[in-house]
Amino acid sequence: MTDFVTTWNSGSYLTDPVGPLGIISMRGTEDIGQKVNEWLMKWREFTDETVFGDMRTDPGLARQDFLIKNVCPRFGNGEGKGMIKDSVRGMDIYIICDVGAYNCTYNMFGQEVPMSPDDHFMDIKRIIAAIGGKAKRINVIMPMLYGGRQHRRASRESLDCAMALQDLQHMGVSNIITFDAHDPRVVNAVPTGCGFESVMPSYQIFKALCNRDDDLHLDKDHMMIVSPDEGAIDRNIFYASVLGLNMGMFYKRRDYTRIVNGRNPIVAHEYLGDSVEGKDIFVADDIISSGESIIDLAHELKKRKAARIFAGATFALFTNGVEQFNKAYEEGIIDRVISTNLTYRRPELKEAPWFVEADMSKYIAYIIATLNHDRSLSQLLNPYDRLHNLLGRYKEAHNK
């Protein structure tokens, strides 16, 4: 983030905070919430590492940090409630939540039930209700957007994401921050009265890859960007443009006469673009769900004599486990999967030799600090300069 800080040091942006800062870390976000809090505590006094301006926001109210104690207990029949254990009066509140944290459970009729995205979203609404209008402003940081995969209506079906955004707006939420929304056009559901930002972790993902592998040749002769489908083409065009690499793409030919696991099965992956023979391939997407598509794509690339395959995804869900990726790694089909810590990851995933994690806590802390001081997010949200500078530093460090 040094480049971002440097650009801000060129002018005067001293501003007062909107209100005393408070962070509510929901169930499943305890780790990243604590990391974000540590960064913000470190920045209370100005250093070269923080954004330009007065970051000496006192936690206040006899608290030692910015975290607000909260809990969402459940009754025996599964009903719940939200409770705030600290004062939030007059505060600028940031609720960090992970609707994909299925490791969280609750007891219902004597059974341990994993929390679904519906449960997590309802807890967010409970906490907002518990705040009771006493906070000066409420902001929701929801990295994996609730209902984001049900973002449009193709037949007579619900519009879950749009309804969720409108629910938050009606409850008084001022800003909704998400990461790599499946379709950022869902902002059309809340055109006024509520800020909405879909943040791309492009820089952090590629930086994590560069930190892990020191033998990359980031030029057209040795590396290519390949989009896994037409839906991911924008993020892959961005990588290709910034890194100065050629790009190809696959499109998924589906069987629209059948539905398997809620979707039309893929019949074949068709490739369009230059030859990948002998080149390392970087593939970027928003979600790795079961992982079958990325494995199939890697096989197709290997058939075309590609060298190493690096897959970058904002959210690594691995709903069917990691066994098939372990096998693909052992067979040399796929070399790296790079993803963030924005949602829950299986314990075995973190231990996998092919998995690289991009820590997003510092970036989230920057977003919170910037919004708390009511500054523009424009430079923070545009990773072009940081990626370009990363490319230069990597080539200089490795004499390439």
Side-chain angles (χ1 to χ4, degrees), residues 88-339:
V88 295
R89 187 178 295 275
M91 287 191 170
D92 188 25
I93 297 294
Y94 292 82
I95 301 174
I96 303 176
C97 51
D98 177 16
V99 298
Y102 62 90
N103 60 312
C104 300
T105 62
Y106 62 91
N107 189 277
M108 184 171 69
F109 293 101
Q111 301 180 58
E112 284 295 314
V113 181
M115 290 183 68
S116 70
D118 294 347
D119 294 318
H120 282 290
F121 184 70
M122 195 63 209
D123 276 357
I124 297 169
K125 295 170 69 174
R126 290 183 175 115
I127 288 296
I128 295 174
I131 291 172
K134 301 302 185 292
K136 188 169 185 178
R137 190 174 69 171
I138 298 176
N139 311 273
V140 172
I141 299 178
M142 187 189 304
M144 191 164 72
L145 188 61
Y146 173 75
R149 301 179 76 178
Q150 183 50 34
H151 61 282
R152 63 179 179 177
R153 175 174 286 158
S155 60
R156 192 172 296 279
E157 56 189 7
S158 61
L159 285 170
D160 295 27
C161 191
M163 291 189 296
L165 294 177
Q166 290 178 358
D167 280 352
L168 295 178
Q169 180 182 7
H170 293 157
M171 295 189 76
V173 172
S174 298
N175 293 291
I176 301 171
I177 306 295
T178 190
F179 284 79
D180 201 352
H182 197 63
D183 189 337
R185 290 175 295 181
V186 295
V187 67
N188 294 331
V190 285
T192 61
C194 181
F196 178 91
E197 297 291 349
S198 177
V199 184
M200 298 298 294
S202 309
Y203 170 75
Q204 288 79 8
I205 287 176
F206 207 81
K207 180 182 178 181
L209 173 62
C210 290
N211 288 340
R212 179 65 173 267
D213 291 279
D214 59 4
D215 58 348
L216 302 175
H217 294 271
L218 305 177
D219 59 65
K220 291 182 178 180
D221 295 328
H222 299 91
M223 195 171 196
M224 274 186 67
I225 305 294
V226 173
S227 177
D229 54 42
E230 59 276 18
I233 195 167
D234 287 345
R235 60 176 57 84
N236 285 280
I237 286 176
F238 176 78
Y239 276 116
S241 299
V242 176
L243 300 176
L245 305 177
N246 292 328
M247 195 190 89
M249 71 164 287
F250 282 89
Y251 73 90
K252 298 172 183 176
R253 188 150 52 87
R254 296 181 180 271
D255 181 359
Y256 288 98
T257 64
R258 297 184 298 137
I259 295 179
V260 179
N261 294 327
R263 61 182 182 177
N264 302 108
I266 299 170
V267 177
H269 290 84
E270 306 289 352
Y271 178 71
L272 300 172
D274 295 337
S275 172
V276 300
E277 184 174 353
K279 296 179 180 178
D280 291 338
I281 306 297
F282 183 78
V283 180
D285 209 348
D286 58 341
I287 296 174
I288 295 179
S289 185
S290 66
E292 293 176 359
S293 293
I294 198 69
I295 292 292
D296 290 344
L297 183 144
H299 278 287
E300 292 293 331
L301 289 169
K302 287 296 184 178
K303 287 179 184 177
R304 293 167 174 79
K305 300 181 180 180
R308 294 177 294 180
I309 311 295
F310 306 110
T314 305
F315 305 107
L317 306 184
F318 291 93
T319 55
N320 294 343
V322 301
E323 291 77 14
Q324 61 178 338
F325 274 80
N326 287 333
K327 181 180 179 182
Y329 175 73
E330 292 170 0
E331 294 175 350
I333 302 300
I334 198 163
D335 291 83
R336 294 279 184 267
V337 173
I338 312 98
S339 189

Side-chain angles (χ1 to χ4, degrees), residues 13-19 54 57 371-375:
Y13 289 90
L14 285 170
T15 54
D16 293 325
V18 172
D54 181 11
T57 303
L371 286 177
N372 180 240
H373 282 255
D374 209 19
R375 300 174 180 146

